[in-house]
Amino acid sequence: MPTTSSLRTLITCLVLIVALPRAAGAEDQMEGDFDGDGFADLVVADGNYLEKGTEVGRVRIYPGRERGVSSISVWEARGVGADSRFGSAVAVVDVNHDGYDDLLVAAGAPDAERPIELFLGSFVGLADRAAWSGVESGLGESLGAWFEPRAEQLALLAGSKR
């Protein structure tokens, strides 16, 4: 069960990520240890990634190794549908406190209803499918404000998938 302190840290992290302005074509990069091997894996999120002339968005994970980060991605997820902008905001957090970092991915613009998906980490890395998904609704509502009242339910759901 997440503590109030860990939830505040998570919410602060999410709000900061959503609030950062992004230039067109920019990629977000951050680190997390999704497989628990002690090496930082690189997250590269590009909500503006083009496929067939539309911004579907894409998130890739490059595994950390003893000699640095691999140049070959081991995980990839893309948006579904025209202009879905999957990966327009991402956060790395151990939501279920199992020792593996998890990945929250938002799609679309922050001032619109946008889907958010949670991918859980494990000893084999990030799961191929989202363990949980929801929609951030309410114009101008921050991801952090959306997440706070749902954090306990989300953590329970994520923990039940282990």
Side-chain angles (χ1 to χ4, degrees), residues 116-129:
I116 300 169
E117 296 185 5
L118 169 66
F119 296 90
L120 296 176
S122 72
F123 70 96
V124 294
L126 280 180
D128 291 333
R129 292 185 173 180

Side-chain angles (χ1 to χ4, degrees), residues 37 52 72 86 89 122 124:
D37 64 359
K52 297 181 183 176
I72 300 170
F86 183 80
S122 72
V124 294

Side-chain angles (χ1 to χ4, degrees), residues 24-78:
E27 293 181 341
D28 285 335
Q29 295 184 4
M30 61 183 49
E31 296 178 348
D33 188 4
F34 303 106
D35 56 9
D37 64 359
F39 300 106
D41 305 318
L42 179 66
V43 179
V44 178
D46 182 3
N48 299 314
Y49 175 76
L50 291 174
E51 186 172 274
K52 297 181 183 176
T54 184
E55 291 179 335
V56 294
R58 172 177 72 183
V59 178
R60 287 183 166 178
I61 305 295
Y62 295 86
R65 301 288 184 240
E66 189 172 331
R67 295 186 181 193
V69 177
S70 172
S71 61
I72 300 170
S73 67
V74 294
W75 187 90
E76 180 177 317
R78 295 180 187 202

Side-chain angles (χ1 to χ4, degrees), residues 45-160:
D46 182 3
N48 299 314
Y49 175 76
L50 291 174
E51 186 172 274
K52 297 181 183 176
T54 184
E55 291 179 335
V56 294
R58 172 177 72 183
V59 178
R60 287 183 166 178
I61 305 295
Y62 295 86
R65 301 288 184 240
E66 189 172 331
R67 295 186 181 193
V69 177
S70 172
S71 61
I72 300 170
S73 67
V74 294
W75 187 90
E76 180 177 317
R78 295 180 187 202
V80 179
D83 296 320
S84 58
R85 299 193 60 223
F86 183 80
S88 59
V90 293
V92 175
V93 184
D94 183 5
V95 173
N96 55 356
H97 298 276
D98 63 355
Y100 301 101
D101 284 333
D102 307 312
L103 184 66
L104 280 161
V105 181
D111 61 348
E113 288 192 5
R114 64 179 177 172
I116 300 169
E117 296 185 5
L118 169 66
F119 296 90
L120 296 176
S122 72
F123 70 96
V124 294
L126 280 180
D128 291 333
R129 292 185 173 180
W132 178 90
S133 62
V135 175
E136 176 186 6
S137 59
L139 295 176
E141 182 180 358
S142 74
L143 186 55
W146 173 90
F147 188 82
E148 185 172 18
R150 297 162 180 86
E152 187 173 327
Q153 179 184 10
L154 176 58
L156 289 172
L157 176 63
S160 71

